[in-house]
Amino acid sequence: MKNRLLLGDEAIAQAAIDAGLSGMYAYPGTPSTEIMEYIQLSGVAAGRNIHREWSANEKTAMEAALGMSYAGKRAMVAMKHVGLNVAADGFINAAITGVNGGLIVVSADDPSMHSSQNEQDSRFYGKFALVPCFEPSDQQEAYDMVFDAFELSEKYKTPVLLRITTRLAHSRAGIIMKEHPEPEKKLKLPSDPLQFVLLPAIARKKYKALLTSYESLKYDARISKYNSFNDAKKRDIGIITCGIAYNYLMENIGSSSKNYPVLKITAYPFPTDLIRDITARCSEILILEEGYPIIEESLRGFLDDGKKIHGRLNGAVPRDGELNPALVAKALGMQVSTGGKVPVVVRNRPPSFCKGCGHADMFTALLEAVKPYGPGHVFSDIGCYTLGALPPYNAIISCVDMGASITMAIGAADAGLFPSIAVIGDSTFTHSGMTGLLDAVTNNSPITIIISDNSTTGMTGGQKSKATGRIEQICAGIGVEREHIKVIVPLRKNHEENVCILKEEFEYKGVSIVIASRECIQTAIRRKKAEASNE
Amino acid sequence: MKNDIILCGVGGQGILSIAAVIGLAAVENRLFLKQSEVHGMSQRGGDVQSHFRLSDNHVYSDIIPYGQADLIISVEPMESLRYLPWLSKKGWLVTNSNPFNNIPDYPPLDEILTEIRKIKNNIILDADATAKEAGSVRAGNIVILGAASPFIEMSFSSLENAIRKLFTRKGEEIVEVNLKALRAGKSFVNQ
Ligand SMILES: Cc1ncc(C[n+]2csc(CCOP(=O)(O)OP(=O)(O)O)c2C)c(N)n1
């Protein structure tokens, strides 16, 4: 028996390798990033030449994975929860086309928003797309479920969603692994040449078929083995847990677990018969979900006049944020243990720019150049440079979704805001800034776009950025006039010159691009170390 | 047996090597283990923490319940106080005395030390100086681990083995420096 200490993310990656994966597709995003990184570092993956390059964004990743599935091989695509919004078109339509080779879509949710803009619950997407969804309660289950998910995917010809959350993704545990990895599948095209052609006449038929198979999925052994009901003699309160919430329950009731009827759900579509079973037997129900109250809402229905239900909707558990052992203890009416208080001398230590970060010098120049126009002119985006929103800079007024700086600047310029400025990172620009730039060029929008190019995807740990060294060319190719593509080096010694260039471009009444180009200090340190050890 | 440990410091201070040593030792001792950490946003010079749960039984929650940590190991004094809600009444707090000052309103050090001394079981040591004596300023983390080792329910030799495993790649000299640092930390506590 092989036993390894792995992060939840790594367990999923290892399982995919062991299950005969041929292609891993992803765009970085906390807490999903380590899935791809593990495969990139794996000797076995290299030996088999599993596809393992980062994609430009989650949509391209999803579609490439679907392409690999079309060709009959097993593919996995991973992203953070908001990435699934970007990939949603491909995801939802892939449910209708169905798959050929097994396809797993991993979406890593971030309840409590440790490093995200929201805490959306990906299980909704599973239900929306009519796709089965696994929600492991621990790292071992995550490992095991990957095998079942691939088989389920191939049996029902459906993509399978694997929903994890930060605590599982970023926590290590001992994993018992398969001795012998499965071989990869051979290239084999779908038997129906029209399977992936969603013309309305075909799509209607396929959608009906999807509705039918979604109903039968509920009773498939691979779903039902992950949903279990343990009855108890004492039936005052029955407890339903979803995914990782099970651990917080067991942490509290541990040895006395025989006193509580517990329904553990880790696979969807969820089993209504099991839910009927527990609700019929128990006087009251407590429902613990790590995320939105999805099952709770279904249980209550519109009328909510049945059995007494405790959960996120009646305040037994907070409506937002992730669960923890204390919150669950409270919901159970148990005594909550507490430690000491945090003394008042302890100050907040917010994240900040690294010493020697080019973004910081870019903002210093930008602030001086924009000063005459007053506040409210600089839209921004998602990445390390979003720290420009914090003191001492207070330089930006937006961070919404990847790429939105450019497009919001366009809309505000349309409304008459002048100057209208966007600050975007290089990886965010290639993720979904380029299409917005095309709009700006065709509109001839009077905006200035500062691409703060540190030649890496910094925020998520320094993954390769797609267009390093080619950003000027790309902007020119999209149609920005050459004389309004300026490259500056954000260093203190260039401050005066950089301010002048920015001021000039702000005044230009068309699309202008200023590329502030300086390698990320963390990447530079890693690169120099690697170079030194190669010598 | 159950041993719940909080490991903390500031992003970039490298608490990961301490975590790796404890993890390797736990595997050698065939213990059940969960170790949870937060990546991402918090690494940019912000506060970072990792929860370690060692047990001879299955561990459920990835995070330690409030008031149940047996030990806080901190590579920075102010950070050691941030996690007091997790520390049990009988728990130990082991911290470096050297502040990492990257914020404008960092409090006076003596105010921090006063608060730490209010914890019944506290150990404060100048890990940086001890590390320097051991031969590498960069082994401060391992000095702290050494000082915390009496409160980790695994044999000292299994921590030593873990250090050998972890640093072998970097050569015998680095292994020796880190072993020396670990022992120096331990003897500080024993004195
Ligand atoms: C749709 C979506 N995918 C991924 C992320 C995670 N994410 C946040 S910032 C970032 C990297 C940005 O890189 P870049 O634009 O180059 O800026 P840097 O951090 O290097 O300054 C990523 C991948 C996200 N927030 N949203």
Side-chain angles (χ1 to χ4, degrees):
Chain A
M1 226 166 37
K2 283 197 283 185
N3 192 331
R4 281 257 285 284
L5 199 57
L6 295 176
L7 289 176
D9 275 350
E10 296 170 343
I12 290 167
Q14 181 63 50
I17 295 172
D18 292 347
L21 182 78
S22 296
M24 180 72 217
Y25 298 87
Y27 180 75
T30 314
S32 69
T33 310
E34 291 81 359
I35 301 175
M36 173 65 102
E37 288 183 333
Y38 184 87
I39 291 181
Q40 288 178 339
L41 291 174
S42 151
V44 176
R48 282 195 346 224
N49 201 19
I50 295 176
H51 172 89
R52 54 192 188 286
E53 282 289 331
W54 292 109
S55 301
N57 66 35
E58 294 85 356
K59 180 175 186 284
T60 66
M62 177 78 69
E63 293 153 351
L66 188 63
M68 174 151 299
S69 160
Y70 162 83
K73 300 196 177 186
R74 288 186 165 179
M76 182 180 266
V77 50
M79 60 203 69
K80 71 181 290 160
H81 59 342
V82 288
L84 193 49
N85 300 335
V86 177
D89 204 6
F91 174 68
I92 287 163
N93 287 309
I96 300 182
T97 63
V99 307
N100 185 26
L103 174 61
I104 298 179
V105 180
V106 185
S107 182
D109 292 358
D110 189 18
S112 278
M113 305 177 228
H114 297 283
S115 17
S116 305
Q117 313 104 285
N118 72 33
E119 58 173 32
Q120 66 187 58
D121 187 326
S122 296
R123 294 177 300 162
F124 266 112
Y125 269 113
K127 199 175 161 187
F128 188 29
L130 302 174
V131 155
C133 168
F134 288 103
E135 189 195 7
S137 72
D138 66 16
Q139 292 77 0
Q140 183 70 53
E141 251 175 28
Y143 179 87
D144 297 339
M145 278 173 171
V146 167
F147 296 86
D148 287 300
F150 272 130
E151 285 180 18
L152 197 72
S153 172
E154 282 156 7
K155 180 172 166 191
Y156 289 87
K157 299 215 163 296
T158 173
V160 175
L161 184 62
L162 180 59
R163 186 246 183 179
I164 56 172
T165 52
T166 304
R167 292 298 171 187
L168 181 115
H170 285 170
S171 171
R172 278 184 188 79
I175 303 294
I176 298 167
M177 298 169 20
K178 290 248 156 70
E179 286 291 347
H180 304 290
E182 293 172 25
E184 288 183 40
K185 304 277 175 186
K186 299 220 159 51
L187 191 81
K188 183 172 174 288
L189 301 189
S191 50
D192 173 6
L194 294 179
Q195 182 187 337
F196 290 85
V197 187
L198 292 185
L199 279 167
I202 302 171
R204 275 181 221 118
K205 277 193 210 125
K206 293 198 69 76
Y207 182 56
K208 276 193 204 301
L210 172 64
L211 289 169
T212 312
S213 81
Y214 191 68
E215 280 310 304
S216 49
L217 253 171
K218 282 181 201 170
Y219 303 101
D220 190 279
R222 294 191 184 282
I223 294 274
S224 40
K225 85 177 198 205
Y226 288 113
N227 295 315
S228 58
F229 175 40
N230 277 317
D231 201 359
K233 286 223 175 65
K234 223 171 138 230
R235 290 176 181 156
D236 309 338
I237 188 149
I239 304 167
I240 301 175
T241 70
C242 301
I244 204 169
Y246 180 73
N247 292 340
Y248 300 133
L249 174 71
M250 293 305 288
E251 182 73 29
N252 281 296
I253 64 175
S255 50
S256 59
S257 63
K258 287 196 186 65
N259 294 334
Y260 295 91
V262 177
L263 170 56
K264 177 186 179 193
I265 296 177
T266 53
Y268 308 78
F270 63 76
T272 27
D273 50 344
L274 288 179
I275 287 179
R276 276 204 201 96
D277 212 5
I278 186 169
T279 46
R281 283 164 202 253
C282 302
S283 330
E284 296 184 14
I285 295 290
L286 169 64
I287 171 141
L288 302 168
E289 296 180 81
E290 182 71 308
Y292 289 7
I294 297 187
I295 294 194
E296 187 179 345
E297 273 182 346
S298 304
L299 275 187
R300 290 181 189 276
F302 276 113
L303 303 180
D304 197 7
D305 57 356
K307 191 150 290 195
K308 185 135 181 99
I309 296 168
H310 306 275
R312 288 198 187 262
L313 294 175
N314 81 333
V317 181
R319 179 64 181 79
D320 63 330
E322 64 177 346
L323 298 174
N324 63 41
L327 291 176
V328 171
K330 225 171 120 200
L332 287 164
M334 296 170 96
Q335 212 186 340
V336 180
S337 62
T338 52
K341 287 216 171 64
V342 181
V344 284
V345 300
V346 176
R347 305 284 197 274
N348 283 339
R349 204 189 289 263
S352 55
F353 288 120
C354 304
K355 260 200 199 108
C357 174
H359 292 320
D361 292 325
M362 176 277 294
F363 276 122
T364 310
L366 167 63
L367 278 173
E368 187 172 326
V370 83
K371 202 168 178 192
Y373 305 100
H377 292 269
V378 184
F379 298 90
S380 191
D381 233 295
I382 307 183
C384 288
Y385 51 93
T386 314
L387 294 170
L390 304 179
Y393 301 95
N394 307 312
I396 60 172
I397 53 108
S398 75
C399 156
V400 181
D401 67 84
M402 291 186 82
S405 58
I406 296 178
T407 31
M408 284 181 73
I410 294 174
D414 291 345
L417 182 74
F418 182 83
S420 190
I421 301 162
V423 174
I424 187 168
D426 50 313
S427 182
T428 306
F429 178 66
T430 49
H431 177 286
S432 39
M434 298 188 315
T435 41
L437 178 58
L438 184 59
D439 278 349
V441 168
T442 46
N443 294 345
N444 195 29
S445 303
I447 65 172
T448 302
I449 301 165
I450 300 170
I451 302 178
S452 201
D453 176 13
N454 57 4
S455 309
T456 191
T457 317
M459 184 84 255
T460 45
Q463 295 77 19
K464 211 154 116 191
S465 183
K466 282 274 153 174
T468 298
R470 290 186 297 124
I471 293 195
E472 266 182 89
Q473 270 171 288
I474 290 173
C475 294
I478 288 174
V480 183
E481 288 166 38
R482 276 282 176 185
E483 57 276 28
H484 290 288
I485 303 175
K486 300 277 166 67
V487 179
I488 64 173
V489 180
L491 278 170
R492 227 164 295 162
K493 65 171 189 198
N494 300 337
H495 179 77
E496 304 305 328
E497 188 191 342
N498 292 346
V499 172
C500 278
I501 293 173
L502 286 168
K503 277 186 171 161
E504 244 175 63
E505 294 309 325
F506 293 164
E507 281 300 316
Y508 172 61
K509 300 276 169 30
V511 182
S512 60
I513 301 270
V514 179
I515 303 170
S517 174
R518 198 172 127 206
E519 188 181 18
C520 162
I521 186 82
Q522 300 292 349
T523 317
I525 292 169
R526 271 198 300 275
R527 182 173 52 77
K528 281 177 192 144
K529 264 192 194 158
E531 282 167 6
S533 70
N534 283 342
E535 270 160 19
Chain B
M1 165 270 190
K2 166 210 92 115
N3 208 194
D4 285 338
I5 305 168
I6 288 191
L7 209 61
C8 55
V10 180
Q13 276 193 309
I15 64 168
L16 288 183
S17 53
I18 308 185
V21 174
I22 303 179
L24 285 169
V27 171
E28 188 192 300
N29 285 296
R30 299 187 172 276
L31 292 173
F32 290 89
L33 162 70
K34 275 197 176 165
Q35 184 224 333
S36 124
E37 52 204 37
V38 171
H39 303 194
M41 200 71 194
S42 50
Q43 285 177 315
R44 302 278 167 277
D47 48 271
V48 291
Q49 55 167 316
S50 168
H51 288 209
F52 252 100
R53 313 201 69 194
L54 306 170
S55 173
D56 45 16
N57 264 311
H58 184 81
V59 178
Y60 282 105
S61 171
D62 297 85
I63 41 184
I64 301 170
Y66 295 124
Q68 287 189 32
D70 305 293
L71 176 61
I72 290 176
I73 304 178
S74 182
V75 293
E76 207 279 344
M78 183 176 83
E79 291 309 317
S80 75
L81 295 167
R82 200 183 296 282
Y83 305 96
L84 290 186
W86 277 272
L87 190 64
S88 102
K89 305 245 161 10
K90 291 177 289 193
W92 282 83
L93 187 159
V94 180
T95 183
N96 191 358
S97 61
N98 296 291
F100 186 94
N101 186 348
N102 65 343
I103 46 172
D105 56 346
Y106 196 93
L109 184 60
D110 52 326
E111 284 181 30
I112 293 173
L113 296 179
T114 307
E115 288 295 336
I116 296 174
R117 290 196 185 97
K118 285 185 196 163
I119 307 301
K120 194 169 106 223
N121 301 318
N122 75 78
I123 290 169
I124 306 171
L125 75 161
D126 183 345
D128 302 26
T130 313
K132 209 167 165 188
E133 278 166 34
S136 165
V137 277
R138 286 171 48 201
N141 288 346
I142 302 297
V143 171
I144 309 243
L145 176 63
S149 63
F151 317 108
I152 299 175
E153 292 189 38
M154 292 190 289
S155 69
F156 191 73
S157 64
S158 62
L159 292 176
E160 290 178 320
N161 289 343
I163 284 185
R164 283 192 194 96
K165 258 190 218 146
L166 186 66
F167 293 106
T168 293
R169 241 172 3 105
K170 299 193 172 167
E172 194 48 36
E173 203 179 317
I174 303 279
V175 171
E176 281 312 315
V177 165
N178 281 286
L179 284 173
K180 220 170 141 190
L182 186 79
R183 288 168 197 148
K186 187 185 176 201
S187 60
F188 176 87
V189 183
N190 288 346
Q191 271 159 25

